[in-house]
Amino acid sequence: MFAFSETSEKEIEKQLVKYPPERKKSAILALLRIAQQQNGYVSAEAMEEIGRRLDLSPAYVESVCSFYTMYYTRPVGKYVIMFCINVSCHLLDCDNLLEHTAKKLNIQVGETTADKMFTLLREECLAECSRAPVMRINNDYHVNLTPQKIDQILDSLK
Amino acid sequence: MSTVVKKQVAVKVDGKDITAPEGTVILDVAKRNNIPVTNLCSHRNLKPFAACRTCMVEVNVNGKKELVYSCTHPIEEGMEIRTNTEETNRYNGACLEMLLVEHPLDCPICDKSGVCPLQDNTEELGIYNNRFEINRRNEPSIKSNPLIEFYLNRCIMCGMCVRVCDEIQGVQALDFHNRGMKVGIGTANDEPLDCEFCGQCITVCPTGALMDMSSEARGLAALFTNNESTCNYCSWGCTVDIQTKKGKATRIEPIDDENVGINNGNLCAKGRFGHHIIHNQDRIQTPLMNVGGSFKEVTWDEAYNAIAERLKAAINRGGPETVAGIASEKSTNEENYLFQKLFRGVLGSNQITNLQHLRAPHVNRFMLGCFQNGMTSKPIQELEEADVVLIFNSDLPSEFPVAGNAIRKAAINFQADIMIANPRNLVFDHESRNETRLTFQHGSDQAVANRLAKILIDNQLVDLDKAKGAVSNFDDYVSSLENYNADFAETATGIDDETFTKAATRLARNADRFFLIGNDVLENEDGEDVLNALLNLGTLLHSGGEGSVNIYPPREHCNSQGVNDMGCAPEYLPGYKCAKDSKALAALAETWGIDALNFDGQDKASDLFENCKNGSINFLYIAGEDPLHSYYKGAQVREALKTTPFLVVQDVFMTQTCEVADVVLPAASWAEKDGTYTNMSRHVQRVKRAILPEGESKPDFDIFCELAEALGSPFQNDSLEDVQREIENVAPIYKGLLPGEECRQWTPESSSEKPKFVIGGEFKKMAAKKEYPLSVIANNHMFHIGSYTRHSKVLNTLAPDCKAGMNPADAKRLEIKTGDKVVVESKNHKFELLVEVTPVAAKGTVHIPKNWTEIPVNMLRNGEEGLTSIKVSKAE
């Protein structure tokens, strides 16, 4: 069962007043974010609950949620690493850097470490080509990556 | 047509001058003028989407050339459009090539093969070699629900299933998952599909990614034979394609063409998946005769001779008016016509009726009253362009699902006002922002209609002088509404006056208004008053307002309209001519080649079962009805059928009524006969034989002809064509409409009488009784209608159990939860069934579908008028 917490409810209230009642479905992105903030990811039950609030079917909520890569539909670690694999980063050898990271964390791309600390994901373009290769860990950007730099960053987070 | 007038715009397509309404997209203009443009994701019923990118055309405005996608680009004045240029073909072809990278070429085993736009477009653009590396998906097919197979390897992401589910069906069961290369179609959390099972997603799917699993025969569309016919379930009258393979009716599909029939390619779960009633092991195979309490198989001749003998004996003993017949709301017009001809012309008895008329003779009076007051109502196809739709006490998604499809289209294209007047909180999702819910207390329908009329008058929302001039007893009407002030109405209905006023104001605007009345109206004693209140409301709007009022009588089964049109009612000869009019009788006698039609003036048919019970009927012929299960006075019917000396029942399945008959005749199913049905909006439509009758069963048409012969008075006209000519002659309203190929609506003869309001019937608030505090709302289940559908294994899988819908507040008070078994008890009867607690059920009411023979809802009422009061308790 999924239920919004009191803090979440207050936040939802704030979001809903932004839209006319007959167009409340516009608040879907905000509600997905609130659900994720609360539980770390958006579960199927959470999608159902959001659908109930906004008069949308769970299928519709899932279509929106799964369109955006920054909503997680499964539990993630404390740190989510989003590794850019788009053109500029690709030309600067991001594939090998990603593999290096995966090996260091001892997981496959897309997985979460057993201690629930790290989740490693591929991400299309993080809009930071000038400082490629780039990865994002939660809300922080890490740029001009090298294997050594990655080791340093990961060690500092442990 | 909506009252919204759209400007006409002139364009040139491939050199051809064409005009079309402003806002139409190029692709639709081209399609309607038979100019082929490749496309895969566009459908006339859906909003433009531009997913497939294969419909590019060249557009020239003011000498400037542009390449645009024709499915989203609206036409502009003076636009010159060129299709299929070398350049557009190159672009469109490239997009198609990319789709073919993934699409499997398993055409020989695909249901869509032969009717596949992907095949057509590939051929059209001449793509014989693909320049890209082929990378076909190879995922297993998903069969997690009983009816619709998902074989997503064939999916081209046109999104039509997603859109039809949302825009036209209002359900949103399907949607896209993920994006980019990973995008796919699916349900929420990939759970098994749980929806209205309308199958519209199968209809629109261009490639066979979604398929109908209900049929054993699958594969290439070209191997099926198509038979265009009319659905035999509800009275909406959808055109269907009964597809046969090796002499078996194997599946049913809609005809996805706006010019065919009234349903514009839409169909519901019953219509599409309910075909297993055709080839069914429960069908009666041979004539049966009750010999000493058990049925013995007999030949047709033995059956006919026994019937003829008993008929003659009954007439000799008590006169012709002691033999009576109940015609079927599911037989064709021609069959019903012959049935009343058999009784009136051959046997000399006017004691003929049908179950709807027996229960609610006021429905026909209501329809004729609408005609008299000038409301002849437009063809029902125009519901798609309605401005205002009043859904009055109708469980629309169950009763007329395809009407819902048309209304949702009106909601998208015209932001139509949707008014839902119902005691239950119906789920009806649509995209109109103008919805008014008139959720009234069960049994206060009349007060709702009268309050709306009173507001129209008091607030002068319609031109009162005009209305007064047009309708003779306007002043009487105004004074009859005196009581319906805001307080009275709110107490009676539970609706506040702001809501009433909003609804009345929207009704009064210049609009094309459609009133759809549900069959629930027939359940209550005050049904006649409710219909009259609606007739008056319509008349007020028609005479004092702008636009139009289209109002359709409530009809339940596929030919509930036609059975009355054909004169299967004691008051009416075919074409609603008065059965007491000596001139009409003389004309009919002349056509039928008999000396005279003289009925002795007795009316036993209007209270038929009571007359059977008291012994004034010696012989009863029930052609295709099951009154023991469906008539509201169950116990009276049982008594009546037991008392009647001889009972003939003719049906497709062995019904409860068949069980008590003396002779049972096996009738052919709707797929096995020719003729016409007339739907609730009076469209006369073709029923076409697709296969040969099962076992020894025969079409009702043949049975009546052969019986007339056995009685020594064969009909002169015994071919379908000749009988149709005879009907056109006898009932001029049908002139030129048969054999029904064109699906046209009959127009009533112009009335010489002046419009008038029908006054009377004071509103009495019906309250539940103390010891039985809840009231029953009984109508058809979403997946069932009548009792035939209970023989369909597929529909039974969707809805295996009869469930009583209860409001959460009532359930909580009684400590009942979903899945509990409860005892439902009225003064007359009690039974056990399962409960589903749902906010759809109104407080104080219990909703019980009437389709399960083992749950006889009619016995709860058992002839009592007013609300059917019950109590509910948890079963032991």
Side-chain angles (χ1 to χ4, degrees):
Chain A
M1 261 312 281
F2 174 87
F4 279 113
S5 68
E6 217 171 291
T7 331
S8 300
E9 290 289 4
K10 273 190 200 135
E11 175 76 356
I12 290 173
E13 225 169 276
K14 259 192 252 164
Q15 293 296 334
L16 285 178
V17 294
K18 291 184 184 169
Y19 310 99
E22 72 273 15
R23 299 191 184 194
K24 60 181 172 183
K25 88 171 186 187
S26 304
I28 186 169
L29 292 181
L31 263 66
L32 285 167
R33 177 175 55 73
I34 295 166
Q36 177 157 311
Q37 242 163 28
Q38 181 183 311
N39 285 15
Y41 73 109
V42 190
S43 63
E45 289 83 20
M47 291 185 214
E48 237 173 90
E49 178 59 28
I50 292 170
R52 257 195 297 278
R53 304 238 174 169
L54 305 179
D55 288 338
L56 295 166
S57 78
Y60 182 86
V61 180
E62 184 169 344
S63 79
V64 174
C65 184
S66 65
F67 182 86
Y68 296 100
T69 52
M70 282 155 80
Y71 293 122
Y72 312 128
T73 52
R74 274 176 299 176
V76 289
K78 185 176 170 197
Y79 299 104
V80 180
I81 305 170
M82 282 177 272
F83 221 102
C84 180
I85 53 158
N86 218 296
V87 180
S88 306
C89 292
H90 183 78
L91 291 173
L92 291 166
D93 207 23
C94 73
D95 286 359
N96 281 325
L97 289 171
L98 181 60
E99 205 187 306
H100 172 83
T101 315
K103 224 180 237 163
K104 179 155 175 79
L105 294 172
N106 198 20
I107 51 172
Q108 302 283 318
V109 181
E111 290 180 350
T112 301
T113 52
D115 59 2
K116 305 269 187 287
M117 285 295 280
F118 294 99
T119 300
L120 181 59
L121 301 171
R122 282 192 185 88
E123 182 64 63
E124 298 292 347
C125 198
L126 288 171
E128 195 65 4
C129 302
S130 59
R131 297 193 283 169
V134 183
M135 69 178 178
R136 186 184 140 156
I137 301 183
N138 292 353
N139 290 331
D140 298 319
Y141 271 55
H142 300 273
V143 298
N144 298 329
L145 295 175
T146 60
Q148 295 74 22
K149 204 167 170 187
I150 289 173
D151 289 348
Q152 231 173 33
I153 295 165
L154 293 182
D155 290 341
S156 74
L157 290 174
K158 279 201 169 154
Chain B
M1 283 299 276
S2 162
T3 50
V4 180
V5 181
K6 288 192 176 167
K7 211 175 93 191
Q8 290 288 314
V9 173
V11 294
K12 235 185 196 92
V13 186
D14 292 343
K16 195 172 155 189
D17 288 310
I18 293 170
T19 54
E22 194 177 17
T24 316
V25 295
I26 297 172
L27 184 63
D28 284 349
V29 174
K31 271 188 191 167
R32 290 200 178 120
N33 289 281
N34 296 321
I35 298 164
V37 176
T38 53
N39 74 90
L40 291 163
C41 73
S42 151
H43 193 279
R44 63 185 186 283
N45 288 343
L46 302 174
K47 288 190 273 186
F49 196 63
C52 75
R53 308 268 145 183
T54 62
C55 69
M56 187 180 272
V57 295
E58 181 186 314
V59 159
N60 296 282
V61 190
N62 302 330
K64 202 173 142 235
K65 188 186 107 176
E66 242 187 297
L67 294 173
V68 300
Y69 289 108
S70 63
C71 71
T72 48
H73 204 90
I75 50 169
E76 284 168 49
E77 186 64 43
M79 192 182 250
E80 273 184 49
I81 299 153
R82 291 175 66 212
T83 70
N84 294 310
T85 67
E86 186 278 327
E87 199 174 14
T88 61
N89 283 353
R90 196 146 41 79
Y91 284 119
N92 291 336
C95 289
L96 203 57
E97 271 181 89
M98 285 189 246
L99 288 175
L100 293 171
V101 166
E102 286 197 325
H103 188 83
L105 295 182
D106 58 354
C107 302
I109 55 158
C110 177
D111 282 11
K112 285 279 172 171
S113 194
V115 289
C116 169
L118 190 63
Q119 286 176 339
D120 296 347
N121 288 346
T122 306
E123 200 210 346
E124 184 80 22
L125 293 168
I127 300 170
Y128 304 116
N129 293 305
N130 201 324
R131 293 169 293 169
F132 304 116
E133 191 184 324
I134 301 302
N135 184 13
R136 302 222 155 97
R137 280 174 290 177
N138 192 17
E139 300 291 328
S141 92
I142 302 166
K143 296 181 178 178
S144 55
N145 73 80
L147 287 179
I148 302 173
E149 177 179 353
F150 288 61
Y151 188 61
L152 297 178
N153 298 330
R154 294 186 189 136
C155 180
I156 56 166
M157 297 306 150
C158 65
M160 289 220 270
C161 54
V162 172
R163 289 180 286 145
V164 82
C165 190
D166 177 17
E167 296 168 22
I168 298 298
Q169 203 65 24
V171 170
Q172 285 187 340
L174 292 174
D175 221 313
F176 295 101
H177 286 181
N178 302 315
R179 70 169 172 194
M181 288 300 282
K182 281 193 270 173
V183 71
I185 301 297
T187 55
N189 206 21
D190 285 323
E191 274 166 29
L193 193 62
D194 176 20
C195 62
E196 295 183 0
F197 286 99
C198 59
Q200 308 268 49
C201 50
I202 303 175
T203 308
V204 294
C205 178
T207 62
L210 300 172
M211 290 178 291
D212 177 354
M213 282 197 289
S214 72
S215 140
E216 292 79 23
R218 301 277 294 271
L220 283 169
L223 297 178
F224 290 83
T225 310
N226 305 73
N227 302 276
E228 190 178 316
S229 189
T230 303
C231 180
N232 78 323
Y233 290 126
C234 81
S235 65
W236 200 252
C238 296
T239 301
V240 292
D241 176 13
I242 308 174
Q243 299 188 356
T244 61
K245 200 172 179 178
K246 295 180 184 160
K248 296 269 180 216
T250 49
R251 67 181 182 202
I252 288 177
E253 290 204 322
I255 294 172
D256 199 9
D257 182 337
E258 60 187 331
N259 299 315
V260 176
I262 51 106
N263 50 321
N264 196 0
N266 295 313
L267 219 53
C268 72
K270 289 168 289 211
R272 177 189 269 278
F273 297 117
H275 55 82
H276 288 101
I277 67 160
I278 301 170
H279 302 288
N280 194 299
Q281 55 183 20
D282 303 338
R283 292 269 306 263
I284 311 173
Q285 300 287 332
T286 61
L288 300 169
M289 206 180 296
N290 191 331
V291 184
S294 61
F295 284 111
K296 192 183 115 199
E297 291 186 2
V298 292
T299 65
W300 276 102
D301 281 340
E302 284 170 321
Y304 287 141
N305 290 337
I307 296 170
E309 204 175 293
R310 293 300 296 247
L311 267 173
K312 282 179 186 159
I315 291 172
N316 280 338
R317 201 164 67 241
E321 303 276 10
T322 59
V323 301
I326 296 177
S328 172
E329 294 171 53
K330 293 174 289 256
S331 293
T332 64
N333 289 323
E334 293 74 10
E335 290 165 345
N336 281 320
Y337 174 80
L338 287 185
F339 190 60
Q340 61 86 36
K341 186 178 175 182
L342 181 74
F343 273 82
R344 290 193 170 116
V346 177
L347 302 170
S349 168
N350 194 44
Q351 309 310 329
I352 170 161
T353 190
N354 64 78
L355 287 185
Q356 188 193 33
H357 187 72
L358 191 58
R359 168 62 174 133
H362 45 267
V363 175
N364 287 327
R365 289 199 289 273
F366 165 76
M367 182 189 75
L368 297 171
C370 289
F371 297 160
Q372 188 188 325
N373 290 2
M375 295 177 287
T376 51
S377 300
K378 298 179 179 196
I380 200 69
Q381 292 98 314
E382 296 194 17
L383 182 60
E384 287 190 350
E385 295 171 0
D387 299 309
V388 178
V389 186
L390 172 63
I391 305 170
F392 198 89
N393 208 351
S394 169
D395 181 359
L396 203 77
S398 302
E399 199 158 41
F400 301 125
V402 173
N405 302 145
I407 295 169
R408 287 190 191 91
K409 211 173 155 189
I412 291 172
N413 293 338
F414 299 95
Q415 278 298 311
D417 268 285
I418 296 176
M419 301 184 186
I420 300 180
N422 203 299
R424 300 167 68 212
N425 309 304
L426 291 184
V427 178
F428 187 77
D429 283 341
H430 54 80
E431 294 190 20
S432 171
R433 282 188 290 280
N434 304 314
E435 181 184 288
T436 319
R437 289 266 176 171
L438 298 162
T439 307
F440 57 83
Q441 282 168 19
H442 189 201
S444 64
D445 321 38
Q446 192 192 349
V448 174
N450 280 342
R451 178 64 197 155
L452 288 173
K454 175 121 173 101
I455 296 173
L456 290 176
I457 294 169
D458 286 355
N459 297 4
Q460 303 194 10
L461 297 173
V462 290
D463 187 337
L464 298 182
D465 291 333
K466 216 171 102 191
K468 195 170 173 171
V471 193
S472 54
N473 56 347
F474 180 79
D475 292 329
D476 298 341
Y477 180 51
V478 173
S479 49
S480 77
L481 294 176
E482 208 168 318
N483 283 337
Y484 293 91
N485 56 45
D487 288 343
F488 176 82
E490 185 161 353
T491 320
T493 64
I495 302 169
D496 61 62
D497 215 50
E498 197 185 324
T499 312
F500 270 129
T501 310
K502 183 183 156 205
T505 313
R506 303 296 300 184
L507 266 178
R509 71 193 177 102
N510 177 4
D512 276 342
R513 312 167 189 87
F514 286 76
F515 289 13
L516 301 175
I517 307 166
N519 292 306
D520 293 22
V521 166
L522 310 176
E523 281 296 314
N524 287 338
E525 164 188 45
D526 65 340
E528 177 157 27
D529 298 334
V530 175
L531 287 182
N532 285 339
L534 287 167
L535 168 62
N536 292 340
L537 176 66
T539 307
L540 182 63
L541 287 162
H542 177 75
S543 57
E546 308 265 334
S548 70
V549 180
N550 306 280
I551 181 164
Y552 304 93
R555 304 281 189 195
E556 187 172 357
H557 296 285
C558 56
N559 208 23
S560 296
Q561 175 71 40
V563 70
N564 291 298
D565 294 353
M566 290 301 114
C568 293
E571 298 94 321
Y572 307 113
L573 301 176
Y576 298 98
K577 291 188 176 149
C578 177
K580 291 204 171 87
D581 178 357
S582 52
K583 252 166 77 184
L585 284 168
L588 203 54
E590 198 190 324
T591 312
W592 289 348
I594 49 180
D595 295 341
L597 283 168
N598 284 321
F599 305 121
D600 64 8
Q602 296 177 42
D603 181 10
K604 295 176 189 165
S606 293
D607 197 359
L608 187 61
F609 292 120
E610 185 53 36
N611 282 311
C612 288
K613 221 173 105 181
N614 67 26
S616 41
I617 296 291
N618 288 331
F619 181 105
L620 181 63
Y621 194 141
I622 303 178
E625 291 292 352
D626 184 11
L628 265 181
H629 169 61
S630 65
Y631 198 60
Y632 79 116
K633 292 179 179 173
Q636 190 203 41
V637 175
R638 185 162 294 277
E639 194 71 18
L641 299 187
K642 220 164 71 188
T643 318
T644 308
F646 202 77
L647 174 65
V648 179
V649 181
Q650 179 171 318
D651 215 318
V652 180
F653 292 101
M654 198 70 190
T655 61
Q656 291 178 0
T657 307
C658 288
E659 303 278 356
V660 298
D662 295 291
V663 171
V664 176
L665 301 176
S669 77
W670 67 295
E672 297 155 355
K673 59 192 186 186
D674 280 307
T676 54
Y677 290 148
T678 305
N679 80 345
M680 42 81 79
S681 60
R682 313 191 310 274
H683 286 268
V684 182
Q685 306 191 86
R686 175 85 194 264
V687 177
K688 194 173 162 209
R689 168 180 285 199
I691 49 166
L692 292 172
E694 180 105 341
E696 285 182 38
S697 67
K698 291 183 184 190
D700 299 337
F701 188 96
D702 296 7
I703 300 175
F704 299 144
C705 286
E706 286 165 9
L707 189 58
E709 211 174 315
L711 283 161
S713 323
F715 298 132
Q716 300 138 307
N717 291 329
D718 59 3
S719 74
L720 187 73
E721 291 69 31
D722 290 344
V723 170
Q724 287 178 337
R725 293 296 83 70
E726 190 178 316
I727 292 171
E728 288 185 319
N729 181 15
V730 169
I733 49 173
Y734 272 66
K735 192 140 236 147
L737 301 186
L738 298 172
E741 302 279 12
E742 285 139 16
C743 169
R744 274 162 49 210
Q745 187 188 30
W746 63 256
T747 328
E749 287 165 316
S750 56
S751 167
S752 54
E753 286 179 64
K754 221 183 153 194
K756 69 170 199 278
F757 292 106
V758 188
I759 298 164
E762 207 154 294
F763 173 70
K764 294 179 290 292
K765 171 108 185 172
M766 290 182 286
K769 297 161 195 89
K770 216 175 184 180
E771 62 274 38
Y772 299 104
L774 299 165
S775 61
V776 176
I777 298 181
N779 44 27
N780 285 307
H781 189 274
M782 178 178 279
F783 298 130
H784 291 292
I785 178 170
S787 55
Y788 282 3
T789 46
R790 292 272 295 129
H791 295 278
S792 156
K793 68 171 189 227
V794 162
L795 295 177
N796 272 336
T797 324
L798 294 181
D801 299 310
C802 182
K803 287 182 189 155
M806 279 188 84
N807 184 275
D810 293 328
K812 200 172 161 197
R813 191 166 44 81
L814 297 165
E815 295 178 347
I816 289 167
K817 48 186 197 308
T818 297
D820 281 353
K821 197 153 207 187
V822 293
V823 182
V824 169
E825 184 176 354
S826 77
K827 217 171 80 190
N828 306 299
H829 197 76
K830 68 172 178 181
F831 48 67
E832 288 188 6
L833 81 167
L834 296 170
V835 160
E836 186 178 11
V837 179
T838 159
V840 174
K843 210 165 157 238
T845 71
V846 179
H847 174 249
I848 310 178
K850 60 183 182 186
N851 312 91
W852 278 259
T853 42
E854 59 275 30
I855 313 272
V857 188
N858 64 336
M859 294 298 288
L860 291 176
R861 175 176 281 282
N862 200 20
E864 296 242 341
E865 297 293 3
L867 302 178
T868 309
S869 305
I870 54 161
K871 61 180 177 189
V872 175
S873 56
K874 226 171 177 170
E876 294 297 310

